[in-house]
Amino acid sequence: MQPTLNWDGVAGMRELKAIFERDIILPLREPAIYKAYKVSLPNGVLLYGPPGCGKTFIARKLAEVLNYNFKEIKPSDLASIYVHGTQDKIGQLFADAKAQAPCMLFLDEIEALVPNRSSGGVSFHYQAEVNEFLVHLNECEKNKILVIGATNLPNLIDPAVRRPGRLDKKIFVAPPDL
């Protein structure tokens, strides 16, 4: 597969760029065609792979190619010492993204933000935060928000976040090629 768009500054990674074009860029640029064939538009993407392979870099470039505003969020940006404080910050994050639409929310180390609720070590507060995130994630495509999560550990993310209609596109980012 060969990418067709201009990916200035991104050397190699031809197959990865072609996947982004086919599965994300074209549906967002030509939504009427996809809706006519009842193909859902991307709501979210999960980038996974070893550390240092360029997940953040490629997400920034994707925002440039799409001409989307780019917001990078780390789990610590949303942490709060107050009960339900993180839930409020999650709600504000999505409200800000909606106001800046089209907007890409890049959530680095997403497994820390939305841990698997079925594992025994997740407290009630984390469960409520995952629920809050899911509520907002469901509305992203309608609000011209694209959520991209990045992780080295995709199996630690709550399965509800990874299901269709949420972060349903899963793309492996391999170590850079020649």
Side-chain angles (χ1 to χ4, degrees):
M1 293 190 289
Q2 285 289 343
T4 58
L5 301 172
N6 184 2
W7 288 84
D8 286 341
V10 182
M13 304 176 112
R14 284 188 180 97
E15 187 174 327
L16 179 65
K17 292 185 282 191
I19 290 168
F20 274 115
E21 289 180 20
R22 181 193 67 218
D23 293 348
I24 299 163
I25 297 168
L26 292 177
L28 291 174
R29 286 191 174 167
E30 304 290 341
I33 295 170
Y34 286 78
K35 286 179 182 178
Y37 288 100
K38 301 198 185 317
V39 175
S40 63
L41 297 178
N43 200 38
V45 179
L46 180 63
L47 302 179
Y48 67 98
C53 291
K55 294 181 285 290
T56 304
F57 177 73
I58 199 78
R60 279 192 184 113
K61 291 300 179 178
L62 176 62
E64 287 178 23
V65 169
L66 286 168
N67 199 26
Y68 272 39
N69 290 307
F70 182 81
K71 293 182 67 132
E72 182 175 351
I73 300 96
K74 301 177 297 296
S76 61
D77 296 337
L78 298 174
S80 175
I81 60 171
Y82 301 106
V83 175
H84 304 301
T86 299
Q87 289 171 263
D88 289 340
K89 287 184 176 186
I90 291 169
Q92 190 59 51
L93 172 69
F94 282 92
D96 292 347
K98 184 177 178 181
Q100 296 176 18
C103 186
M104 178 187 293
L105 294 178
F106 177 73
L107 302 162
D108 202 8
E109 298 179 10
I110 192 171
E111 73 279 0
L113 179 63
V114 288
N116 190 337
R117 293 173 290 179
S118 62
S119 69
V122 177
S123 72
F124 171 77
H125 296 293
Y126 281 117
Q127 292 178 19
E129 292 164 10
V130 173
N131 291 340
E132 183 74 18
F133 182 80
L134 291 172
V135 166
H136 294 287
L137 188 58
N138 288 336
E139 301 296 317
C140 286
E141 183 262 318
K142 294 176 194 166
N143 295 322
K144 294 197 176 280
I145 300 169
L146 178 64
V147 177
I148 298 195
T151 185
N152 306 328
L153 305 164
N155 55 334
L156 296 183
I157 298 169
D158 194 272
V161 175
R162 295 180 281 136
R163 77 162 178 75
R166 292 183 175 152
L167 297 188
D168 51 0
K169 304 275 186 226
K170 293 154 195 71
I171 301 174
F172 178 71
V173 180
D177 54 31
L178 293 175

